[in-house]
Amino acid sequence: MTLVMENVSKVYSDGPKEFKALDDVSLELQKGEFVAIIGPSGSGKSTMLSIAGALLSPTSGTVFLDGENTAHLSKRKITEKRLEKIGFVFQAANLIPYLKVRDQLRVINVIAKNKANSKGRELLEHFGLTHRTNNYPNELSGGERQRVAIARALINDPKIILADEPTASLDSQRGREVVELLADEIKSRGKSGLMVTHDERVLDLCDRVVTIRDGRLEE
Ligand SMILES: Nc1ncnc2c1ncn2[C@@H]1O[C@H](COP(=O)(O)OP(=O)(O)OP(=O)(O)O)[C@@H](O)[C@H]1O
Ligand SMILES: [Mg+2]
């Protein structure tokens, strides 16, 4: 199991007000498995993904990343682990405006202190971006930007891919292509993927669909 969430709850407190965004959520991701999370706006999907990626800690419950209980790790260790094990893809590609495509990938390598640099070229080629390596984000189409974001998420060869509405900024054809790339990467390289989506047309590319309503999971 690459990602395990056990009885995870999350209460947001805004001063005196409390709001339970996640209520006793459990989920296991197998190697090679691609799971979609769907549910209404405000149901807790992004909260769940943030907790899965240790960007946010649960109020109660446990998260295991690649077998390790994240509750026992220091902030610094969690950061290291996140860099090593997880690739994030967000709704907007979140590229750095002043970096060329190839440097969007390199920057992750630098932060993670990876020496190898050839993987970037390989990924860009795989995603049909070779002719775009010297362009800035504002010179790319939406689909190209999202492909760069996926390539960047994969540069460290993470075991777990977490994607929050990766197709939201794309038309349905481009959106499907992006999810196909994710699915292909997960299947062919034995990774695990968890994707929040509103797009029902891509659900057939996933192995399993879980629904979240008012912070509770239904399968
Ligand atoms: N930092 C926060 N403080 C207080 N409440 C929050 C915070 N973040 C999220 N919430 C609330 O928790 C609930 C779940 O939010 P979340 O972002 O997980 O929903 P979502 O399912 O991703 O929604 P959407 O589909 O609109 O992106 C919402 O009611 C939201 O207002
Ligand atoms: Mg959300």
Side-chain angles (χ1 to χ4, degrees):
M1 232 81 72
T2 44
L3 171 71
V4 178
M5 299 176 80
E6 267 178 13
N7 308 106
V8 166
S9 295
K10 179 68 187 179
V11 177
Y12 287 115
S13 29
D14 251 337
K17 272 194 295 180
E18 289 205 328
F19 181 80
K20 197 167 208 178
L22 283 185
D23 188 4
D24 200 24
V25 164
S26 296
L27 183 83
E28 292 184 350
L29 274 191
Q30 316 275 354
K31 216 169 165 245
E33 196 178 27
F34 190 20
V35 174
I37 309 176
I38 59 171
S41 179
S43 56
K45 303 182 297 296
S46 296
T47 301
M48 189 173 160
L49 214 68
S50 300
I51 291 176
L55 291 167
L56 193 66
S57 19
T59 307
S60 61
T62 321
V63 179
F64 296 89
L65 284 181
D66 206 21
E68 196 163 16
N69 185 343
T70 53
H72 300 322
L73 299 173
S74 65
K75 277 233 160 85
R76 192 195 173 92
K77 275 275 168 221
I78 285 185
T79 303
E80 279 172 19
K81 211 159 169 70
R82 201 186 290 124
L83 265 170
E84 183 196 341
K85 307 275 184 195
I86 304 179
F88 288 96
V89 185
F90 298 99
Q91 172 173 349
N94 288 338
L95 301 179
I96 303 165
Y98 52 84
L99 291 184
K100 291 177 177 176
V101 165
R102 57 189 160 109
D103 297 326
Q104 303 281 340
L105 275 64
R106 274 191 55 212
V107 75
I108 301 290
N109 265 338
V110 171
I111 297 168
K113 301 189 179 69
N114 282 351
K115 286 175 205 86
N117 229 334
S118 58
K119 181 114 195 335
R121 229 172 299 135
E122 225 174 86
L123 275 169
L124 290 174
E125 191 181 325
H126 182 64
F127 288 165
L129 290 162
T130 305
H131 62 301
R132 288 301 200 194
T133 53
N134 274 318
N135 287 93
Y136 290 96
N138 69 345
E139 298 165 341
L140 306 176
S141 73
E144 285 172 337
R145 273 200 284 268
Q146 206 52 315
R147 269 151 44 216
V148 175
I150 293 176
R152 183 181 59 182
L154 297 175
I155 185 83
N156 278 340
D157 203 17
K159 293 194 168 173
I160 303 166
I161 298 167
L162 300 176
D164 199 347
E165 301 190 36
T167 66
S169 59
L170 306 175
D171 64 48
S172 62
Q173 162 84 22
R174 294 285 169 208
R176 194 172 168 85
E177 281 171 17
V178 160
V179 180
E180 275 170 354
L181 284 175
L182 280 174
D184 179 55
E185 188 71 20
I186 290 161
K187 293 294 147 199
S188 65
R189 318 213 36 200
K191 300 179 183 298
S192 305
L194 190 58
M195 172 179 69
V196 170
T197 185
H198 278 124
D199 190 350
E200 293 192 353
R201 290 163 301 194
V202 299
L203 295 181
D204 62 306
L205 296 166
C206 300
D207 303 303
R208 190 150 62 93
V209 179
V210 297
T211 306
I212 184 164
R213 263 195 202 91
D214 297 328
R216 297 190 66 96
L217 222 58
E218 307 164 359
E219 238 173 274

